[in-house]
């Protein structure tokens, strides 16, 4: 009995750190951004590539891109290497995804009330990071000038060092892995972190995802597949849905087994009741979603959470805003929830698709919604897609702030989906902590502390 309980013990989320578009660089700012219905879509920054040379409104123009907007971050070149005991020379060769991952993880630990400098020798802490884009390595390995490759090029850019550097810098001895399952990377990382905690491979976990865009090649590829929205807006579930906008972001959370979090008097933001991952398998195309696989995934996650569909009040959908993917996702949800009243939304309408970091962005939004007992507005939704029978199912897409109903005693429950373009899918079931007092972090974010940032020039 004890063994069975351990396999399904809830996992407590005790800290969060983030960098999302629209100035959302703390959980509190992220909630204010969401609740006020803001959009983080803007013109692609000029320091990324020569827009005038690459832009062409013709979606079939070879070597060109037909978008000019997305959910991009500012100040991605700022970093204080001395704070993390890194030399300026090494920092210049580090992918900014590694630099910001250090910052956000540090802030997540502070948000959890944990001193990051005191983790050495403490029981096993694991690190699980989702990542998918390696643009910065292009400036060193693929620039055509082999003299640019130095002793730090590999450690600064290979994916394995994104998580490895975190454990090294903080002195962590638990499991450590970096993974890429495309758009589902960060949610799959969280699932694996929960599995590791339940099997007692680790006693605490840092997990989440990162995504930055510095070169145009992947954008050109996505333009050739016609999956991008010309104006960068995700019109998820709307009849005008015409693709997704690319976005950037970071999010990391701190996890513990519920029993340990209670024993150590941690501030519990929300609970992960259960999760599941699977693959689309054979479908009508390599990148085409599989409705049956999505349905099976959600049912498995609910079963692992020992939760009934009727207890779920909100679904944070993958919801990219494509005319093909949205109806498939809605049909899978309809098969699971049928006559149950649920609210469905997607944070991608606020700042686009963060790809490897999309899952953590949706999960953090849902944790905040559970804490505040309110679902923020879903943007760009005026006419529901005709490719789904809305009259048959009591689903609601919130266009304004909407109360999140009670579903289990004094708590509220929600699900978060993330589906990878490669076919790997993840779903997580969350529950509010009824006894949790909302926390205003006493530990300032690194940007607001006494740390001075130094601007590092991009190598190219």
């Amino acid at each position: 009995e004890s063994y069975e309980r351990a396999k399904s013990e809830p996992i407590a989320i005790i800290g969060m750190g983030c960098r999302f578009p629209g100035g959302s660089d703390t959980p509190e700012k992220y909630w204010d951004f969401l609740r006020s219905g803001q959009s983080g879509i803007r013109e692609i920054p000029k320091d990324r590539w020569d827009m005038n040379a690459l832009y062409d409104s013709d979606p079939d123009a070879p070597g060109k891109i037909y978008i000019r907007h997305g959910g991009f971050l500012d100040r991605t070149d700022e970093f204080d290497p001395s704070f993390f005991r890194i030399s300026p020379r090494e920092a210049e060769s580090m992918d900014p995804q590694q630099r910001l991952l250090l910052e956000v993880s540090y802030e997540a630990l502070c948000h959890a009330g944990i001193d990051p400098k005191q983790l050495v020798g403490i029981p096993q802490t694991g690190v699980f990071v989702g990542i998918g884009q390696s643009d910065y390595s292009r400036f060193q390995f693929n620039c055509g000038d082999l003299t640019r490759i130095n002793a730090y090029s590999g450690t600064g850019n290979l994916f394995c060092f994104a998580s490895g550097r975190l454990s090294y810098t903080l002195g962590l001895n638990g499991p450590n892995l970096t993974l890429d399952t495309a758009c589902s990377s960060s949610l799959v990382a969280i699932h694996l972190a929960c599995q590791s905690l339940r099997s007692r491979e680790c006693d605490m976990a840092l997990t989440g995802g990162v995504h930055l865009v510095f070169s145009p090649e992947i954008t050109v590829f996505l333009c050739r597949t016609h999956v991008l929205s010309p104006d960068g807006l995700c019109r998820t579930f709307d009849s005008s849905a015409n693709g997704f906008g690319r976005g950037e972001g970071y999010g990391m959370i701190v996890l513990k087994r519920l029993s340990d979090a209670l024993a150590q008097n941690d501030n519990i933001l929300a609970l992960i009741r259960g999760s599941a991952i699977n693959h689309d398998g054979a479908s009508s195309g390599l990148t085409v979603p599989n409705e049956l696989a999505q349905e099976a995934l959600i049912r498995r996650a609910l079963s692992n959470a020992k939760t009934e569909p009727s207890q779920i009040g909100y679904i944070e959908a993958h919801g990219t805003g494509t005319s093909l993917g949205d109806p498939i996702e809605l049909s899978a949800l309809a098969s699971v929830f049928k006559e149950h009243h649920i609210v469905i939304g997607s944070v991608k309408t606020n700042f686009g698709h963060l790809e490897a970091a999309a899952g953590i962005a949706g999960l953090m939004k849902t944790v905040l919604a559970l804490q505040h007992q309110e679902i923020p507005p879903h943007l760009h939704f005026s006419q529901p897609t005709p490719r789904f029978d809305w009259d048959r199912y009591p689903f609601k897409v919130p266009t304004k702030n909407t109360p999140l109903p009670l579903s289990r005693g004094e708590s509220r429950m929600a699900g978060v989906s993330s589906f990878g373009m490669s076919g790997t899918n993840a779903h997580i079931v969350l529950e509010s902590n009824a006894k949790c007092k909302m926390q205003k972090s006493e530990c300032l974010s690194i940007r607001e502390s006494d740390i001075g940032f130094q601007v590092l020039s991009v190598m190219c």
Side-chain angles (χ1 to χ4, degrees):
E1 183 182 353
S2 176
Y3 174 74
E4 289 300 319
R5 280 202 308 269
K7 286 200 304 183
S8 60
E9 180 177 3
I11 301 300
I13 301 172
I14 63 171
M16 303 193 295
C18 64
R19 295 280 189 281
F20 295 133
S24 302
D25 56 7
T26 68
E28 293 79 17
K29 289 182 180 178
Y30 187 32
W31 177 249
D32 290 341
F33 169 81
L34 294 170
R35 191 179 187 280
S36 58
Q38 297 182 52
S39 172
I41 300 299
R42 63 190 183 94
E43 284 196 356
I44 297 172
K46 294 180 180 179
D47 61 0
R48 303 310 171 94
W49 52 71
D50 185 347
M51 180 58 66
N52 292 330
L54 284 171
Y55 177 78
D56 193 313
S57 59
D58 179 2
D60 295 310
K64 301 291 184 177
I65 62 177
Y66 61 82
I67 64 165
R68 303 186 73 100
H69 299 81
F72 285 78
L73 299 178
D74 288 317
R75 301 165 64 183
T76 56
D77 59 347
E78 295 184 1
F79 183 63
D80 183 357
S82 61
F83 181 81
F84 295 103
R85 302 185 301 279
I86 298 171
S87 71
R89 181 170 176 237
E90 180 175 4
E92 288 181 359
S93 295
M94 286 171 58
D95 185 337
Q97 292 181 126
Q98 282 194 31
R99 304 178 203 160
L100 289 176
L101 186 62
L102 286 169
E103 293 183 12
V104 170
S105 297
Y106 195 97
E107 292 175 5
L109 289 165
C110 287
H111 192 254
I114 298 169
D115 184 352
K117 297 179 181 179
Q118 301 299 320
L119 285 176
V120 177
I122 288 181
Q124 299 281 83
T125 298
V127 176
F128 304 80
V129 176
I131 188 171
Q133 195 126 332
S134 57
D135 288 351
Y136 202 69
S137 66
R138 168 179 171 270
F139 305 139
Q140 296 172 73
F141 291 119
N142 303 316
C143 65
D145 182 359
L146 297 181
T147 64
R148 284 192 175 184
I149 300 174
N150 59 46
Y152 301 119
S153 297
T155 57
N157 290 277
L158 299 180
F159 279 171
C160 58
F161 290 102
S163 59
R165 188 183 294 275
L166 260 179
S167 292
Y168 168 78
T169 302
L170 297 173
L172 311 179
N173 298 115
N176 182 290
L177 63 89
T178 307
L179 62 97
D180 175 14
T181 61
C183 322
S184 59
S185 296
S186 55
L187 221 59
V188 171
I190 295 168
H191 167 81
L192 295 178
C194 292
Q195 298 289 72
S196 184
L197 284 163
R198 290 192 178 104
S199 66
R200 296 190 174 270
E201 286 182 329
C202 62
D203 296 316
M204 186 169 76
L206 266 170
T207 180
V210 299
H211 184 65
L212 286 178
V213 179
F214 288 112
S215 65
E217 286 84 357
I218 300 299
T219 304
V220 171
F221 153 68
L222 293 171
C223 284
R224 295 293 73 73
T225 61
H226 295 181
V227 298
L228 298 183
S229 168
D231 58 7
L233 299 178
C234 288
R235 297 176 175 82
T236 306
F237 306 140
D238 193 77
S239 61
S240 63
N242 59 352
F244 64 83
R246 299 201 77 190
E248 299 179 321
Y250 281 65
M252 293 293 286
I253 56 177
V254 184
L255 304 179
K256 283 185 181 180
R257 292 181 290 271
L258 176 59
S259 55
D260 290 342
L262 291 172
Q264 294 159 22
N265 200 30
D266 291 310
N267 187 55
I268 300 171
L269 308 177
L271 303 176
I272 296 177
R273 298 289 311 194
S275 59
I277 59 175
N278 74 359
H279 193 276
D280 284 336
S283 65
S284 57
L286 175 61
T287 62
V288 177
N290 186 325
E291 179 184 330
L292 295 178
Q294 292 182 15
E295 177 189 347
L297 171 79
I298 297 169
R299 291 191 187 280
R300 174 65 63 86
L302 291 170
S303 175
N304 291 342
K306 301 186 184 306
T307 300
E308 296 297 324
S310 60
Q311 294 175 291
I312 301 297
Y314 174 67
I315 293 291
E316 173 63 21
H318 182 61
T320 54
T322 61
S323 57
L324 174 64
D326 287 0
I328 290 175
E329 182 171 11
L330 286 168
S331 295
L333 290 171
S335 297
V336 176
F337 295 98
K338 297 179 180 176
E339 72 277 6
H340 302 303
H341 291 263
I342 59 170
V343 182
I344 308 171
S346 174
V347 75
K348 293 177 181 65
T349 63
N350 294 91
F351 45 52
H353 188 357
L354 305 193
E355 299 175 39
I360 186 65
L363 182 135
M364 287 183 64
K365 168 192 170 181
T366 308
V367 168
L368 292 166
L370 289 168
Q371 282 190 292
H372 292 269
Q373 304 174 20
E374 184 178 67
I375 303 165
H378 175 102
L379 308 185
H380 319 305
F381 183 79
S382 57
Q383 184 66 39
T385 175
R387 299 187 179 186
F388 178 71
D389 189 352
W390 295 92
D391 294 332
R392 185 177 176 186
Y393 302 99
F395 294 171
K396 178 180 179 181
V397 178
T399 55
K400 60 182 180 180
N401 293 300
T402 303
L404 206 167
L406 287 168
S407 52
R408 188 203 293 253
E410 296 182 28
S411 69
R412 292 164 172 81
M413 302 193 73
V416 183
S417 289
S418 195
F419 308 136
M421 179 180 276
S422 63
T424 300
N425 309 311
H427 187 84
I428 289 180
V429 179
L430 296 172
E431 182 176 14
S432 65
N433 179 17
K435 298 180 181 179
C436 169
K437 295 180 180 179
M438 271 187 290
Q439 169 179 303
K440 290 289 186 181
S441 176
E442 295 180 358
C443 179
L444 297 177
S445 79
I446 291 183
R447 288 193 182 280
E448 299 167 344
S449 70
D450 58 356
I451 302 164
F453 276 80
Q454 120 182 26
V455 176
L456 302 175
S457 59
V458 176
M459 291 185 60
C460 67

